[in-house]
Every structure is written in C-alpha cells, then in structure tokens.
Amino acid sequence: MTHRPTARPPAARTGPTRRGLLGWFAGVAGVGVAGSALAGCSSGPAARGDATTAVSATSSKVDFHGAHQAGIATPAQDRLHFAAFDLLTTDKAAVVAMLRAWSDAAARMSDGRPVDASYDAPVLDPAAAPGDTGEADGLNAARLTITIGFGRSMFTKLGLTDRLPPGLVELPAFPGERLDARRSDGDIAIQACADDPQVAVHAIRNLVRLSRGTASLRWSQLGFGRTSSNSSSQATPRNLFGFKDGTANLRAEDPAAFDRSVWVAPDEAGSPAWMAGGSYLVARRIRMLLEVWDRTSLGEQEQVIGRHRLSGAPLGAAAENDPIRLAALPADSHVRLAHPDTNGGAAMVRRGYSFVDENDSLGRLDAGLFFLAYVRDPRTQFVPIMQKLAQNDAMNEYLSHVGSGLWAVPPGVQPGGYWGSGLFA
Ligand code: HEM
C-alpha cells in the first residue's frame, strides 16, 4: 500500500491520495486500470506518478475542455447529481471568482484528481480543512462530466439583462403542471453525471463547498438509471414504466443533428456572441404515478406510449429500430405527439434519469423521470412540444410535473478559461 511518509506534525495523513489509492487498488486487487506501470506499485511519490499515467490510459475520463461543454453529447452516464444554486450577491467580480474556482475544480475532478492541488501534498496541514472532501479517494473519474447553465434570474440579479440570450424565456405555464418552487428554477444549474454515484455526489458537494458566501444550494436531485441513450454504442435503457426510452434520441455519432438541434450557431439570429457553441438546458421533475400505471393493462400501456413494451418496436412494427409509421399510432400517444414529423422537424437530445425519493402518506413512491433535454432554441423546440404534450398526451393520466427550470448553457471552456468567460468579459 502507498503510505505518506511518517511526518511531523503527527496529524499527517497515513492514507494515500486519490491517485495513490487508485494505484494501490489496481496493484493489489487487479482492477482494470490498464498499464504495467501499476504492476510493481511501490510506495512514495513516484508510485503516485505511475498511477496517474496508468489512469490516463483508461477511458474513464471525459475531457472537461472543448468547444462545447461535456455532458451534452457525451454518451449518457449511469448516474446523476443535479444542483440548482441561487446567488447570494450581486457583485459580478465575486461571481466570476466562484466560476473560476468551479471551473478549475471541475477540470481537476473530470481528470480524476482531487479538487485542490493542495490535497496532492504528501502531508496535509492538520490545522486546515482539507482541500477535498475525500470520499472519491481511490475512485477513478467514472466518466464524470460537469455541465453548467445560467438562469434568467441570474441576468437580472447581476444587471446583465442586455446580454440575455433570446431563448432564455420565462417558460409559460403548461396545462396540468403542479410546480413546486422548491424544486424549480435557480440562478445557476449544474448537472454532474458519472458512472459512479459517489463521484457525481463528490463533484456537487465540493462545488457547493466552493460556492460558500457567493451562492447557496436552492434544490438538488439525485438520479439513477439513465433513461436515454444518446450514442449508438449504448443499449437503450428502460424507464420506470418498463419501456425502452431513448430509442429515437439524437446520437452523438450524428454531429450534423447536434448542429441542427442542440448547439447555438455562431451566426444565430439575435443571439449574443458569447452563446455560440452553447445550448439550452430544460429540466422537468416528472412524478410518475407508478401504482396507477402498474394496474393498467399491457395493451393500454402500449397505446399510451405508441411502442411495444418488450421489444421497444413502434406499434405495427417488429423491431426497436424499425421506422415509425405515425398513422399506425393513436393520435394521443406520446411518441406520435413528440415525434419530429408532427412538430415541424423539431428535435432535442434527451438525457434524463429515473429518481425514487421518498413515499407519501398513502405509501406511494415519489418516483419518476428527471427529464433533462438540451435544445438550440427552447422557443421552437421544447416549448411547443411540451405545450402539445401537456394538452393531449395520453400519458398525462399517469404523470405530474412538479419541478421545472430553463438555463442558458455557455459554450465549452478552453484550458485556463472559466465557465461563462464570454458572458462576463
Ligand atoms: C415521465 C415522462 C416521460 C416518459 C415516461 C417518456 C417516455 C418516452 C418513451 C418510452 C419514448 C419512446 C422511446 C424513445 O424513442 O425514446 C419517448 C419518446 C420521446 N419523448 Fe418522452 N417521455 C416522457 C416525457 C417527455 C417530455 C416531457 C418530452 C418533451 C417535452 C418528451 C419527448 C420525447 C421525444 C421527443 C421522444 C421521441 C419521439 C420520436 O421521435 O419517436 N418526453 N418518451
């Protein structure tokens, strides 16, 4: 095992760093962190260096930097921790300082490193709170992505309404929704996705820690079991209704579709330059009335969705990826109403997760779909489709929308830069 040197003061940690632990696990337990560098894992700083090299050789990391933020076209990970923050200040400089600190921390965590470089030191200062909360020590990056969005309220609070992107509208009230303010909106939203729940939670927890004094957590949501695939390398998962979800989603392998439907173009009409390469994020916390659904016949369930439950095939077809014949689907079925062909070609990339939180006094689960979608312009994509679904979808009998939010997602960060640098420049 990798030990820190015995040190004075006596409170020096005897445990290894996050990277050191990874090397230890790989060397001792033979976990799949490739590289012969780990085979002879020895003690001391040199061993930690070896482990870092080995981790780089795995596919557990998604690059934080790039033209677009990670976590949108990235093949959906298994777990989610989503957080919405409210600013406690109207001081732009303080917000920029937080965004810088967040971006540095996000880049390090996406790389499988502790939040703060001080945590790499062989001996930690016993008189100071450690620079990382520690629960991800020994875990790899688990394809962690951290994606940020700015809410309309942030622009108002910081006096930035002249830079408001046109798609960041006030969402209209949709028929039937029962929104809870404690689960809606927020000046800033952060989506942390990873294949390991502890890595996603560690990311949000540390960003909350770094926001102290500048922002406070407004609400948060844990998610499991991704409810969409957005890459042809992924099998289609099932949502809590038992249906395959994500069959007709946009695919990362089709960048032209992302250009059409997800990324804001450099010459987007009426859009400020800082949004080029960005997107818009919509979240809806949708409670699914599972107890009612579970008493519904299979035939009725399939008529509601417009697809067969076991195979995922569109009604009237045999296999999941067979073409949809919309005329063969009930007029109020979810798929027929949401399909691009009935919405003037409008599409979105869906990236939602299931949730099961508590239960109510009647013993019914507070469970459902935490719907997440990214669009190029909510006014022509999410809003009209949601409007139509809220009015006509046969699935509404089994749903209740209880939380909602819309955020402008700035483009990706370049090395040395920070989230929203174009907006605050
Ligand atoms: C709890 C709520 C929801 C459930 C259980 C659900 C479930 C499903 C299922 C099973 C499919 C078919 C498989 C697929 O192609 O992915 C589907 C498709 C789709 N859903 Fe939902 N959905 C929900 C909410 C929403 C919302 C709120 C929207 C947008 C406002 C939406 C938009 C879509 C779209 C665009 C498709 C693809 C249609 C196509 O192109 O064939 N869904 N959904």
Side-chain angles (χ1 to χ4, degrees), residues 71-72 80-82 145-147 189-193 281 351 372 374:
I72 303 173
L80 167 82
H81 195 181
F82 191 94
T145 56
I146 308 175
T147 316
I190 295 190
Q191 169 200 280
C193 297
L281 163 63
R351 238 182 162 280
L372 293 170
Y374 289 86

Side-chain angles (χ1 to χ4, degrees), residues 333-417:
S333 65
H334 181 69
V335 163
R336 181 161 169 175
L337 291 168
H339 194 279
D341 286 0
T342 58
N343 292 287
M348 57 185 81
V349 62
R350 288 170 286 139
R351 238 182 162 280
Y353 288 83
S354 294
F355 68 84
V356 176
D357 289 340
E358 301 166 348
N359 55 272
D360 62 20
S361 57
L362 299 174
R364 296 175 305 192
L365 287 171
D366 176 11
L369 170 66
F370 190 67
F371 175 91
L372 293 170
Y374 289 86
V375 292
R376 179 172 165 181
D377 190 340
R379 295 170 299 175
T380 54
Q381 295 167 278
F382 175 75
V383 172
I385 297 175
M386 187 65 243
Q387 197 75 257
K388 205 165 108 187
L389 290 177
Q391 276 160 358
N392 304 308
D393 196 347
M395 204 161 60
N396 290 337
E397 201 179 325
Y398 308 93
L399 303 180
S400 180
H401 287 237
V402 294
S404 178
L406 173 66
W407 297 272
V409 174
V413 177
Q414 299 307 319

Side-chain angles (χ1 to χ4, degrees), residues 231-258:
S231 161
S232 29
S233 64
Q234 298 182 300
T236 314
R238 290 182 187 272
N239 59 33
L240 293 180
F241 281 163
F243 277 74
K244 292 192 177 190
D245 203 341
T247 306
N249 209 3
L250 297 192
R251 294 279 181 267
E253 292 77 8
D254 185 359
F258 274 74

Side-chain angles (χ1 to χ4, degrees), residues 8 46 60 85 143 158 242 276 314 342 369 399 424:
R8 282 184 224 132
S60 72
F85 294 81
R143 294 200 304 123
L158 297 181
T342 58
L369 170 66
L399 303 180
F424 289 95

